[in-house]
Amino acid sequence: MKKILLTIAIVFAVLLVAAAAVPYLFKDQIVAKVKSVINQKVNAKVDFKAFDLTLIRSFPKMGIRLNDLSVVGIDSFANDTLANIKQLQLDLNLMSVIKGETYEINAVSLQEPTILAKVLKSGKANWDIMKPDSTAKPADTASASFKAALEKYNIEKGNITYDDASLNFYLKAENLNHSGKGNFTQDIFTLATVSDIEKLTVKYGGIPYLNGVVLDANLPLEMDMKQMKFTFGENKIKLNELVLSAVGYLAMPNATDMVMDLKFDAQQSDLKNFLSLIPAIYAANFKDMQATGKFGVDGVVKGTYNEKSIPTFNLNLAIKDGKIKYPSLPSAINNIQVKANVANPDGVLDHTAVNIPAFHLEFGQAPLDGRLLVKNPMSDPFVDMALKGNLDLKQLTTIFPLKDMTISGNLQADVQAAGRKSSVDKGQYQDFKASGQMQASNFLYKGKNVPMPVSIPAAKMTFSPKNITLSNLTAKLGRSDFQANGSVNNYLNYVFKKNQLLEGNFNLTSNYIDVNELMGPNVVQESKSKEEVPLAIVEVPANINFNMALKANKVKYDKYDISNARGALQVKDRTVYFKNLGLDMVGGTIKMNGSYTTVNPKKPKVDVDFGMEKVDIQQAFNTFNTVKLLTPIAQYAKGSFSTNLKFNSDLDDKMMPIYSSLNAEGLANIIQAIVDGFEPVNKLANTLGVSELKRVEVNNLKTKFRIEDGRLKVAPFDIKVKGISMNVQGSNGIDQTMDYDLVLNVPRAMLGSKANDLANSALASLNGKLGTNVSVGETIKINADLMGTFLKPSIKLKYGAGEGSASNAAKAAVNQVVEEKKAELEAKAKEKVDTLKKKAVEKATQEIGNKLKGLFNKKKKDTL
């Protein structure tokens, strides 16, 4: 017995060692062949982080495991990842590995794959990555390295997307688990598949037919591999709570065609099962909902599907005697009656028709009736629809569970439309019948998740083929109120054709508009916090052309309090145009023409001509950041000003100017102002020893200016302060730096006796040397440079020290006087010399003339 046990142990150990050793013996050979096949056969970027071989986990098969496998396309799909698979395992027939000729793949397993199958409008598919077959024999060897002999496959936690732009078809399966078992080595066999999908979305033509539904399916298929025909066995497909079954087959006789003959219907005919497909209903209290009535759906799909044709189909849906009620609420939707048919008789997509001849339901006791017919959807859509009903919105709260929400009011609708799109395209509105009206009264909508309460006491819309007329609209959104009337034009073209303008003309009046509240819910918290709430970019919509006449008594925008807003707005080409817009704010009136555009939504621009009349300086400083940054002197000024300003700039994501891009020019008129306590002015006064400069009074001062490269550049202007005249020009920046040139004419008496004595002594010395008599004069000219920053200014005088006491400034002033008078003295001395020279020349000339005259007279006498 011991020998037997020992023998068994030895054999078992050998097997374990062999199971562990065999993968290593063949690893290099298999890896080489895997890479060889990939490199020779695929037009794509294929990569994997780890390669592992195992026999123990997959015995009696040998397992190949690739971790973090990715396949990225090239050319048209260079930015698309076809596949990203956390783990791919292939189980190989062990004997085929040992023989080393052709490796048979018996099983495939994909763990957490993310797969994007994409087809362009041209029909080119991103999975078509195999290189064309070569006639060279080495390629034949590579292609024979692996052979599919599948017995099973499975996908765990997969995310699969199929996006086909050529067919306008989209499918997405999230958290997919799928497995299949069958002997693929046989020509005819049964493939048993089991699938479950957490969220399945299917769209065709942009319409979501399934939107995030749960799918469970047991679907056996009879596989005929020679004929490529797949026949459905007894099956069950569950979509949310709706259970379907299908019979028939799919066949792929060639590379381009898919032939099908399928019939399907619902195995259960309860209305509640159908309602489970509606995401909003399924997600909210579906289990508690009571739904009675009969639901039926059946369909037939038969024919060939390829690039040129689709199968014929006929789908029927019906709801009879339906009722929906939540047990916790008193009322219900009663008497639901619907019949619908979607059919295509010949496989031509344009011959598809959607027909709902009538539907009826009752919200409590209030009926809603309608119909819909759509034909020729591709070439020239024909629509025939009607809707009529009177709905008490408050009754909805007795039918549907609306948590943390209040809604009330009455909606009346009676609209009809019938006609072809071509009639609209040609402007033949008489051939497209559209009429009726919708009316709202005492509408109120508010709740926890509603940014602001919406109240519409009255509104009426009247429909015609040409326009929708809005009349008698009174509304209140949060703290804002509106009264409006007008019309929307070209709405049929806008609905039926791409890139058509929706046009409108409106008159809007209001007592109060809170733009902050309308732009975002966070602004409502402004009253609870003193912190400023940053604004966000307001994107102007495309494909509309609205003209609006505006009149509002009061407007709140950012921290601006505006009154008597009036003018016109036009919204066009992603741009808002301001036309003669007038605003009373900051103590004066602002008139504005210009535009705000979001052609590039990430980089909005503003280009405006401002006219500001009699604006209060202090209010402007406290209101406008641009004034704070570029004219900080306004903080120390009291008074009013007017200006005409042309202004353009890019805006940042908080709707503030990007100062490096800001350009502006204009004319400012300081009507009346007093500047007191401004540090640069104080510095100048202290440097010159002229205290009168510390308090500056200005009246009717006009100057030109421009803003560029983040600096305010001021053209030369003159100002007079208590007998001191001053010429100023220069610039300052948003970095608070200054660079101003000042020329002052200061009364000599203001500089003190010491300065006068120094000036008189210096001039007396020069007068003595040059023999002139020039006096100092009553005023002294002083040149100064104002530099530094607004908080730390520096004064540099042209003649003398840049910084210092008043005595140093006096010396500098005297030096400047002497330099300027020196030129005057030299000019007068030169003038004196020139005068003496002139007199000498004149005297010499006269004497020579007299002598010549005497000489000529003498000769004349001698001749006689």
Side-chain angles (χ1 to χ4, degrees), residues 246-266:
V247 295
Y249 68 86
L250 294 172
M252 291 181 285
N254 52 56
T256 59
D257 296 337
M258 180 183 292
V259 180
M260 58 189 72
D261 187 353
L262 298 172
K263 295 181 181 180
F264 62 89
D265 59 19

Side-chain angles (χ1 to χ4, degrees), residues 33 106 177-178 213 222 230 422 500 557 562 661 741 805:
K33 287 193 175 183
N106 297 139
N177 294 291
H178 173 79
V213 304
E222 300 297 329
F230 316 108
S422 58
Q500 292 295 302
Y557 175 67
I562 302 168
S661 71
D741 296 329
S805 63

Side-chain angles (χ1 to χ4, degrees), residues 197-259:
I197 301 174
E198 186 175 300
K199 290 183 179 180
L200 175 64
T201 298
V202 178
K203 297 180 182 179
Y204 182 68
I207 300 173
Y209 291 92
L210 298 176
N211 191 4
V213 304
V214 178
L215 179 141
D216 286 297
N218 290 313
L219 187 63
L221 294 172
E222 300 297 329
M223 310 287 286
D224 186 340
M225 302 303 292
K226 282 190 175 181
Q227 302 295 325
M228 289 299 288
K229 183 177 180 181
F230 316 108
T231 303
F232 289 88
E234 185 177 348
N235 57 79
K236 182 176 75 172
I237 303 170
K238 186 178 181 183
L239 301 173
N240 284 350
E241 300 300 320
L242 179 65
V243 179
L244 301 173
S245 63
V247 295
Y249 68 86
L250 294 172
M252 291 181 285
N254 52 56
T256 59
D257 296 337
M258 180 183 292
V259 180

Side-chain angles (χ1 to χ4, degrees), residues 297-503:
V297 61
D298 62 72
V300 176
V301 182
K302 187 175 183 179
T304 302
Y305 177 82
N306 56 34
E307 292 183 357
K308 296 181 180 180
S309 68
I310 61 173
T312 65
F313 56 86
N314 193 327
L315 311 178
N316 297 292
L317 181 148
I319 299 175
K320 185 178 181 181
D321 301 329
K323 180 179 180 179
I324 302 172
K325 186 180 185 303
Y326 288 91
S328 60
L329 297 174
S331 192
I333 302 177
N334 300 305
N335 197 17
I336 304 172
Q337 312 287 344
V338 180
K339 286 187 178 181
N341 174 261
V342 182
N344 182 287
D346 54 13
V348 179
L349 188 60
D350 189 46
H351 295 168
T352 302
V354 178
N355 187 19
I356 305 175
F359 67 86
H360 173 90
L361 55 86
E362 297 168 6
F363 292 95
Q365 301 298 318
L368 181 67
D369 293 277
R371 69 173 188 273
L372 175 65
L373 173 63
V374 179
K375 298 190 297 184
N376 306 114
M378 307 303 294
S379 62
D380 186 12
F382 172 84
V383 177
D384 184 1
M385 60 82 63
L387 182 67
K388 185 176 182 179
N390 188 344
L391 181 61
D392 182 356
L393 295 176
K394 189 174 182 179
Q395 193 175 45
L396 291 180
T397 63
T398 68
I399 298 174
F400 295 106
L402 303 176
K403 187 178 180 181
D404 299 323
M405 184 184 300
T406 299
I407 187 169
S408 62
N410 186 268
L411 286 178
Q412 296 181 25
D414 187 0
V415 294
Q416 306 87 34
R420 290 194 173 274
K421 174 180 175 292
S422 58
S423 300
V424 177
D425 294 344
K426 298 174 183 177
Q428 298 172 349
Y429 297 109
Q430 70 278 4
D431 296 331
F432 194 100
K433 308 299 181 183
S435 61
Q437 65 181 25
M438 295 183 69
Q439 191 165 340
S441 58
N442 301 318
F443 177 83
L444 177 64
Y445 180 50
K446 62 181 180 179
K448 181 179 179 181
N449 297 320
V450 181
M452 66 202 75
V454 179
S455 173
I456 304 177
K460 183 179 180 180
M461 290 190 297
T462 303
F463 295 84
S464 73
K466 290 185 177 181
N467 56 40
I468 301 173
T469 302
L470 175 67
S471 58
N472 302 324
L473 170 65
T474 58
K476 190 169 184 179
L477 278 68
R479 294 187 288 265
S480 305
D481 63 86
F482 302 94
Q483 299 82 46
N485 59 71
S487 63
V488 177
N489 307 313
N490 201 44
Y491 74 97
L492 290 175
N493 264 324
Y494 183 79
V495 171
F496 284 124
K497 298 175 69 176
K498 291 183 178 180
N499 301 320
Q500 292 295 302
L501 281 177
L502 183 64
E503 300 176 326

Side-chain angles (χ1 to χ4, degrees), residues 76-139:
S76 303
F77 304 102
N79 296 322
D80 294 330
T81 300
L82 170 61
N84 196 337
I85 304 170
K86 186 175 182 179
Q87 186 179 95
L88 168 65
Q89 179 162 328
L90 307 176
D91 289 345
L92 307 181
N93 182 296
L94 181 58
M95 292 306 299
S96 71
V97 174
I98 294 173
K99 291 179 180 178
E101 295 177 354
T102 299
Y103 300 159
E104 292 184 358
I105 302 174
N106 297 139
V108 177
S109 175
L110 283 76
Q111 302 291 324
E112 299 183 31
T114 298
I115 297 173
L116 170 63
K118 190 173 183 179
V119 182
L120 302 179
K121 286 186 177 181
S122 62
K124 186 177 181 179
N126 71 336
W127 64 81
D128 187 12
I129 59 175
M130 300 302 294
K131 292 181 179 179
D133 289 336
S134 172
T135 57
K137 291 185 178 180

